[in-house]
């Protein structure tokens, strides 16, 4: 009796002890099977975002404030002179770190209003003229004359050409009384002539061989005094006319080679080659 009860108690105790072990194994197997099933299921959707609040109304722009007037900046202070520590002291290498700002002065626009410029005289605008001269005892004889107006009332004439006394070169200074297009003038100048190297032939016109007169002209110089009229148009046309007298300044410029001239022949020689009246006309153009 006692052994049977003891055996039954042991079996009941073993059964009670093994029951919790089987229960634990079954729970673990169920957990292992549930985990793969959860992994195959789709992920749940994310939670919906809360609705955004309505946009706030922007505030009205504030009225612009008047700029405050900046106080005038004080003038920069002069840097202190370096301290003299003797002849062996080097100047300091430090430079002032402060930046000096100089106020920019205001810009002022000046508009000058002056009187209207008056038109200049025609000889102030057209100072250089080139003329062709045909004259008796003139500057060029037959040739060009160059005119330069240093001032509207002061002109210098330079001529070169051919005359009865040979090749000629002349210069004259004249004063214009007016600054208008037409002005009278007075002038004075000098002329030099080359003469003829070869003797002339039979100037007497006589059929007598013993009366044949041959002469030779030496180089000569003349002084000329004239009065005249100068017309210079605003378009450039220029006319110059002069009357006067030319005085032979050198010695007798006529050398008698053969023959002896009579009174009429001597008068003709004097009129052609010595002192005489001046008649000249020049026409040309004045340049700006």
């Amino acid at each position: 009796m006692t052994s049977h009860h003891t055996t039954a108690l042991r079996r009941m105790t073993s059964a009670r002890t093994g029951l919790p072990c089987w229960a634990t194994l079954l729970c673990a197997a169920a957990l292992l099977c549930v985990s793969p099933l959860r992994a195959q299921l789709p992920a749940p959707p994310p939670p919906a975002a809360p609705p955004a609040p309505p946009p706030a109304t922007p505030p009205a722009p504030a009225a612009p404030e008047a700029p405050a007037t900046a106080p005038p900046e004080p003038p920069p202070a002069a840097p202190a002179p370096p301290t003299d520590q003797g002849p062996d002291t080097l100047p300091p290498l430090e430079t002032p770190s402060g930046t000096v700002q100089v106020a920019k002065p205001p810009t002022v626009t000046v508009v000058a209003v002056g009187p209207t410029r008056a038109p200049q005289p025609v000889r102030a605008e057209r100072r250089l003229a080139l003329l062709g001269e045909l004259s008796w005892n003139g500057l060029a004889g037959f040739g060009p004359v160059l005119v330069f107006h240093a001032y509207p009332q002061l002109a210098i004439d330079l001529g070169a050409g051919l005359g009865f006394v040979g090749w000629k070169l002349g210069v004259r200074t004249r004063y214009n009384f007016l600054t208008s297009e037409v002005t009278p003038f007075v002038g004075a100048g000098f002329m030099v002539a080359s003469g003829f190297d070869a003797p002339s032939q039979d100037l007497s016109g006589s059929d007598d061989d013993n009366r044949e007169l041959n002469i030779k002209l030496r180089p000569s110089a003349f002084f000329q005094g004239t009065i005249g009229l100068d017309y210079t148009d605003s378009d450039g046309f220029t006319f110059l006319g002069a009357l006067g007298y030319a005085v032979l300044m050198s010695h007798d410029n006529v050398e008698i080679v053969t023959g002896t001239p009579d009174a009429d022949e001597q008068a003709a020689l004097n009129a052609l080659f010595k002192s005489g009246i001046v008649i000249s006309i020049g026409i040309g153009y004045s340049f700006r």
Side-chain angles (χ1 to χ4, degrees):
M1 182 74 173
T2 303
S3 59
H4 286 292
H5 283 290
T6 302
T7 304
L9 289 173
R10 287 178 180 176
R11 289 180 178 177
M12 292 177 64
T13 303
S14 300
R16 289 178 180 177
T17 304
L19 182 58
C21 294
W22 285 106
T24 301
L25 292 176
L26 289 177
C27 292
L31 292 175
L32 293 176
C33 293
V34 171
S35 297
L37 291 176
R38 289 183 177 178
Q40 293 178 3
L41 293 177
T57 304
E65 298 181 358
T69 304
E73 298 182 359
T83 305
D84 187 6
Q85 298 180 359
D88 297 334
T89 303
L90 295 177
L93 299 178
E94 296 84 9
T95 56
S97 59
T99 302
V100 178
Q101 296 182 357
V102 179
K104 183 178 180 181
T107 303
V108 179
T109 303
V110 179
V111 179
V113 179
T116 304
R117 181 182 178 185
Q120 294 184 349
V122 63
R123 292 173 188 82
E125 295 182 353
R126 299 182 178 272
R127 305 178 64 181
L128 191 65
L130 181 61
L131 311 177
E133 182 186 78
L134 179 62
S135 66
W136 181 280
N137 290 331
L139 293 179
F142 178 75
V145 174
L146 185 66
V147 180
F148 174 70
H149 291 278
Y151 299 98
Q153 293 180 302
L154 180 63
I156 300 174
D157 304 331
L158 179 64
L162 181 63
F164 287 105
V165 289
W167 293 102
K168 298 177 65 178
L169 181 66
V171 60
R172 175 179 60 198
T173 302
R174 55 188 172 90
Y175 177 78
N176 301 319
F177 290 97
L178 304 175
T179 58
S180 58
E181 293 184 351
V182 182
T183 176
F185 68 85
V186 293
F190 295 92
M191 302 176 297
V192 293
S194 63
F196 292 121
D197 293 335
S200 59
Q201 297 292 327
D202 195 11
L203 296 180
S204 63
S206 174
D207 295 335
D208 188 358
D209 294 338
N210 295 328
R211 293 284 299 158
E212 181 177 335
L213 180 63
N214 294 324
I215 63 172
K216 181 179 180 179
L217 293 178
R218 301 190 184 97
S220 54
F222 296 85
F223 172 79
Q224 179 194 87
T226 57
I227 59 173
L229 190 69
D230 183 342
Y231 170 69
T232 302
D233 187 70
S234 58
D235 295 331
F237 175 77
T238 303
F239 170 82
L240 192 67
L243 296 174
Y245 195 81
V247 179
L248 178 65
M249 300 180 62
S250 57
H251 296 290
D252 192 357
N253 60 343
V254 179
E255 179 183 352
I256 305 298
V257 178
T258 60
T260 302
D262 56 16
D264 294 336
E265 294 171 348
Q266 188 64 46
L269 292 176
N270 294 338
L272 289 174
F273 308 119
K274 297 185 179 181
S275 302
I277 60 173
V278 176
I279 302 175
S280 68
I281 295 175
I283 297 176
Y285 184 81
S286 295
F287 302 91
R288 290 186 182 275

